[in-house]
Amino acid sequence: MNANVLQKVMEQLADQRARNEREEERRRREALAKCPEIGRVMDARREAVMKSVYSAFAIPADENLTEKVEAWNAQIKALLVQNGFPADYLEPVFHCAQCEDTGYTGSGKKTLCACARAMYTQLLEKEGGFEREQTFENYDPNVFPDTPMDDLPDSQAAFRTVSQRRYMEVLRRKCEGYADALPNPPQRTLLLYGGSGLGKTYLLRCIHARAREKGVPALCVTANQFIRTARQAIFQRSQEDLDALYETELLLLDDLGTEPLIENVTVEELFNLINERQNARKCTVLSTNLTLNEIKTRYTERILSRLRDAHACQTLQFLGRDIRQLPNR
């Protein structure tokens, strides 16, 4: 796991705990100003607990302390409600109740809390330069030509009478349907493939944005970042970042085919990633400029077979002209 990114997570959690303490103090002052009796009950409870702490040394233990504390707690809650506050208004404030904003859970061996993992992946994505403004709401179909795609090759002749704008609207709806069905779309893997400048990365990031809106843990990386992470895991025995790619509920892998082909790394690690995520019924979105035949040539039949399994993977082919090359754009 990237130590610098993890350190930033811990710093953010420390800031959160400081905000929690300030909020707890603000609530205490507010409640006591309105109902001083709450303060007197709290003082009595605190004094009894402190006496119990010292009882092992000098003061006889109060055998009824537990019952007394419960009675004081009930009295405080009743006074809070009587004065217009929630019954739990003076309870400790936590953003995450599982780890109490420490970032770790477990009584013995500590493990990184889900909230800290989510913060870690968000920071990792931010450092990777991914922006969040690309959403389905901001999608503009007018960037695509509204004329028939009559220059398509014979293998795509069936779409020559359809405009690129209309065709892309169909693909946008399919991608949005996948995003809206998260975390349980009918086909957990989604492959976006076609030439450059056809909107694959934009729609991939739209899915990412919708997943975050729905609270689905997601991680978006380029294929090049994935291979660097896999190579580091192999040669530096640093597994945490790679584990995050396997474990996140939604993985978005962009620009497949632009990463270096490293012997015994690229093909093997990509197959393992796709295969294990499909077996675990995790959601994966991949984008590539490669054709299906080129995927087979570059990554072998084993990987292509996983992507052509209609029960596990939905494939969307992007057609038309590169909008970056269109005049007056």
Side-chain angles (χ1 to χ4, degrees), residues 105-111:
T105 59
S107 55
K109 182 180 178 181
K110 298 294 184 179
T111 58

Side-chain angles (χ1 to χ4, degrees), residues 10 34 67 69 85 96 98 178 207 213 231 305 325:
M10 293 301 115
K34 191 169 185 180
E67 291 80 2
V69 169
F85 298 103
C96 175
Q98 287 187 324
Y178 177 91
I207 294 171
E213 291 174 8
R231 191 173 187 275
S305 69
Q325 306 301 322

Side-chain angles (χ1 to χ4, degrees), residues 123-133 205 220 225:
L123 286 173
L124 207 60
E125 292 160 8
K126 185 176 180 180
E127 293 197 352
F130 287 99
E131 302 294 336
R132 295 282 173 77
E133 70 274 8
R205 294 182 187 174
C220 186
Q225 287 174 311

Side-chain angles (χ1 to χ4, degrees), residues 69-273:
V69 169
E70 290 178 354
W72 282 319
N73 290 343
Q75 187 178 357
I76 291 170
K77 290 180 180 180
L79 288 170
L80 285 169
V81 173
Q82 290 172 16
N83 286 274
F85 298 103
D88 62 352
Y89 198 60
L90 297 180
E91 294 295 320
V93 174
F94 302 124
H95 185 71
C96 175
Q98 287 187 324
C99 70
E100 298 182 356
D101 296 335
T102 65
Y104 291 94
T105 59
S107 55
K109 182 180 178 181
K110 298 294 184 179
T111 58
L112 204 60
C113 183
C115 74
R117 282 189 173 273
M119 293 169 66
Y120 178 85
T121 56
Q122 289 173 25
L123 286 173
L124 207 60
E125 292 160 8
K126 185 176 180 180
E127 293 197 352
F130 287 99
E131 302 294 336
R132 295 282 173 77
E133 70 274 8
Q134 293 173 320
T135 65
F136 288 113
E137 290 75 17
N138 292 336
Y139 182 87
D140 182 10
N142 295 318
V143 300
F144 298 100
D146 196 23
T147 54
M149 296 185 288
D150 50 15
D151 56 350
L152 290 177
D154 290 343
S155 60
Q156 299 159 355
F159 300 101
R160 286 175 177 169
T161 60
V162 180
S163 75
Q164 188 172 349
R165 184 180 302 174
R166 181 182 172 190
Y167 186 81
M168 284 304 303
E169 271 293 282
V170 173
L171 296 189
R172 184 199 64 79
R173 287 196 296 271
K174 288 181 178 294
C175 288
E176 189 168 16
Y178 177 91
D180 287 339
L182 290 169
N184 298 306
Q187 296 148 301
R188 303 303 173 98
T189 306
L190 176 64
L191 174 65
L192 313 179
Y193 74 99
S196 300
L198 300 181
K200 299 183 300 298
T201 294
Y202 191 105
L203 285 175
L204 177 142
R205 294 182 187 174
C206 289
I207 294 171
H208 186 203
R210 183 63 57 82
R212 299 304 296 269
E213 291 174 8
K214 292 164 62 71
V216 177
L219 183 58
C220 186
V221 297
T222 64
N224 198 43
Q225 287 174 311
F226 163 62
I227 292 304
R228 288 205 309 267
T229 300
R231 191 173 187 275
Q232 180 178 341
I234 294 170
F235 295 106
Q236 298 182 21
R237 300 183 183 278
S238 178
Q239 191 71 24
E240 291 86 353
D241 285 350
L242 188 59
D243 287 344
L245 301 182
Y246 277 83
E247 295 169 5
T248 187
E249 191 65 39
L250 170 64
L251 175 65
L252 303 106
L253 189 61
D254 195 23
D255 277 338
L256 193 65
T258 61
E259 76 289 347
L261 274 175
I262 302 174
E263 187 176 0
N264 298 324
V265 176
T266 302
V267 174
E268 290 77 2
E269 292 299 326
L270 181 61
F271 174 79
N272 290 338
L273 181 73

